[in-house]
Each structure stands twice: as C-alpha cells, then as structure tokens.
Amino acid sequence: MRLKDKVAIVTGGGSGIGAAICNCFAQQGASVVVTDINLAGAQNVVDQIIKSGGNAMAVEQDVVDEQRWSEVIAITLSEFGGLDVLVNNAGIGMRGSVESTTLAEWQRTQSINLDSVFLGTQQAVRAMKQNGGSIINISSIEGIVGEATCAAYNASKGGVRIFTKSAALHCANEGYRIRVNSIHPGFIATPLVIAAIESLPASEAEQLSAQLLAKIPFGELGNPEDIANGALFLASDESRYMTGSELVIDGGYTAQ
Ligand code: NAD
C-alpha cells in the first residue's frame, strides 16, 4: 500500500482522470475526499470505493469559490484527521483561437482552470505546512506546447505549469516539507475529450479524430489510469526529492 494512512483531496473527482485518481489512491490505502461540482458523480465514485473496501467521502465543491475551499479543508481535517495530498484536477476544455474566443470564454477558462489551482494550493499549503505533503496540479500538454484553437486553454494550463514552480520554491524556501508538481496529460479518453469531438459535425469529428491520432507517436489515446499512476507516484513518498517538476504522460506527443 503506497499511500497507507494518507489523506487526499481530489477535485473534479466525479469523472474521467479525477475518478481514476480517486480509485487508485483508495486502492493504495488513502482516505480520499472526492470533490466535484457534480455531487452525484462524486458520490458514485465514493460508492465504488467503499464497495471495494476503501475509505472515501463525497463533498460538493465549486473550485472557484474561495469560501468553499476553506470548508472543504475543514471537513477533511475534521473527518479524516489531516491532509497529506491535494490533487487540483477539476477543469474544463475550451476550444477557440485568439480571434474567435470571447472575453467571457477566456475569463471562465482562467477562473475554473487556473484561479482554482491558486486557491487550492494556497489553502493546502496553510494546512500542510506543519507536517508536509504533496500538491499535484493537473496541467496538460497544452501547458507546454501551443495550439491555434486552444488560446484560452493554453493560457490557463501554461499558468498552472509555471505557478506550480513558484509555489514549490516558496515551500522549499520556507522549509515546509511540501512538494508541488504538475502533471501534463496528453490526449486521454475521458468525457472532456469525447464531448469536444462529439460537439463537431460528424465529418469534422472523424477528421479531427484521425488528425489527433496521427499526431500521437503511440497512435492511440491514453487511459485515465495512465495519469492516475503518475499521480500515485507524486502522492507517495517515492517522489520525496521531486518538487517544481513536470511529469509528462502523453504517448510521446511533446517529444516531437
Ligand atoms: P472530465 O470532464 O471527465 O472531468 C472533469 C471533472 O471536473 C468533472 O467531474 C466536472 O464536473 C468537474 N468540474 C468542472 N468544473 C468544476 C468546478 N468549477 N468545480 C468543481 N468541479 C468541476 O475531464 P477530464 O478529462 O477527466 O479532465 C480532468 C483534468 O485533466 C482537467 O483539468 C483537464 O484540463 C485535464 N486534462 C485532460 C486531458 C484529457 O485528454 N482528457 C488532457 C490534458 C489535461
């Protein structure tokens, strides 16, 4: 059990990558607080974990709400007695170029994908600074390389990438034993990616899927579990000497 006796919060834990991380952490012995704006999705994941003999609790959370962050941390401390790991995973996709993106779309993307990571990291650092911990921020390959149709998404995920390094250095400078790292998934088969493809007319969707697969050296989408395994390593003490780093899990996409 690589996370025995650890307590973890995973945002956006009700679907896709977040759900896989919750399941993986619980299997490895962590008590998991599964938060999501979609409480039913989070509860479903918790029910599966409990059925498999794990320990978890569902909490409704909109990650852009600062007050709610304080409440989620307080619930975690009172119900599970500590906080060792935070995974800032909740996020949305947003397609649009610099010309087509509206200010409202831009601001919504920065708010849900980037402001949330700032709020969660700030509150987790305050909660973890006595005993240490691991903060894992889910960025994207889109936080490393640009894409013409991802203006707002690129900016938000690039922000997560470099903010992670700032927070990591602050914690190290202060002597807190808190590691802060980012994960950069490539294209992973989750509702977020599937919905983006299905929102297009059928012929365009087919073309986009083919173009996407042609750009991935492994020639296939990743699974949520591929990302969960990376998060497991960063959550566990095996990554004790890693902070401010970027874990890329992308089937070779950014190696080109
Ligand atoms: P998903 O849509 O399957 O899951 C996202 C979850 O976040 C959902 O349960 C949703 O309800 C929740 N959520 C959305 N807005 C929220 C809010 N304001 N407050 C709380 N919860 C909220 O998506 P996914 O593919 O599993 O993506 C998870 C993370 O991984 C995102 O940050 C995404 O940007 C990132 N990512 C995904 C891929 C991919 O290919 N799927 C690639 C790179 C990065």
Side-chain angles (χ1 to χ4, degrees):
M1 292 260 196
R2 291 159 71 188
L3 300 181
K4 191 169 178 300
D5 299 329
K6 290 199 191 289
V7 175
I9 297 174
V10 180
T11 69
S15 171
I17 291 171
I21 293 173
C22 292
N23 281 312
C24 172
F25 282 14
Q27 275 165 19
Q28 292 297 327
S31 296
V32 185
V33 180
V34 183
T35 88
D36 207 293
I37 200 164
N38 171 10
L39 182 60
Q43 189 58 54
N44 200 20
V45 170
V46 167
D47 292 346
Q48 283 170 28
I49 290 174
I50 289 172
K51 218 195 265 176
S52 318
N55 191 22
M57 170 176 61
V59 176
E60 187 171 5
Q61 180 188 21
D62 181 345
V63 287
V64 306
D65 180 340
E66 185 174 15
Q67 174 60 30
R68 190 61 182 153
W69 266 110
S70 306
E71 292 164 3
V72 168
I73 303 263
I75 292 167
T76 304
L77 297 178
S78 75
E79 294 294 318
F80 287 155
L83 176 63
D84 304 291
V85 180
L86 168 66
V87 185
N88 282 307
N89 164 77
I92 55 164
M94 183 62 70
R95 288 189 72 76
S97 71
V98 60
E99 286 200 82
S100 66
T101 301
T102 65
L103 181 59
E105 287 170 337
W106 173 271
Q107 288 175 337
R108 179 160 183 267
T109 310
Q110 307 320 316
S111 173
I112 297 174
N113 289 1
L114 181 57
D115 295 1
S116 64
V117 174
F118 159 67
L119 291 172
T121 302
Q122 183 177 68
Q123 302 240 7
V125 166
R126 290 174 182 155
M128 290 174 174
K129 63 184 174 190
Q130 294 300 330
N131 299 321
S134 173
I135 299 172
I136 302 163
N137 294 329
I138 306 297
S139 174
S140 169
I141 52 171
E142 307 283 355
I144 299 175
V145 295
E147 197 176 322
T149 54
C150 285
Y153 191 75
N154 273 152
S156 69
K157 293 299 187 179
V160 169
R161 172 183 168 273
I162 199 71
F163 163 73
T164 296
K165 296 180 194 305
S166 172
L169 292 173
H170 169 76
C171 291
N173 289 346
E174 295 296 321
Y176 307 154
R177 299 299 298 172
I178 303 174
R179 294 173 290 109
V180 194
N181 294 288
S182 55
I183 294 185
H184 300 263
F187 294 99
I188 309 299
T190 70
L192 182 142
V193 165
I194 291 159
I197 293 174
E198 286 180 352
S199 68
L200 298 168
S203 62
E204 264 181 65
E206 218 168 280
Q207 204 186 359
L208 183 72
S209 297
Q211 281 170 355
L212 200 63
L213 294 180
K215 282 200 271 182
I216 303 170
F218 273 1
E220 59 179 70
L221 299 182
N223 295 321
E225 291 70 26
D226 295 323
I227 309 308
N229 286 326
L232 172 61
F233 170 64
L234 290 176
S236 78
D237 297 339
E238 293 155 28
S239 59
R240 60 170 286 278
Y241 198 57
M242 275 176 80
T243 200
S245 74
E246 300 164 27
L247 185 56
V248 177
I249 306 173
D250 69 351
Y253 189 95
T254 53
Q256 303 169 97

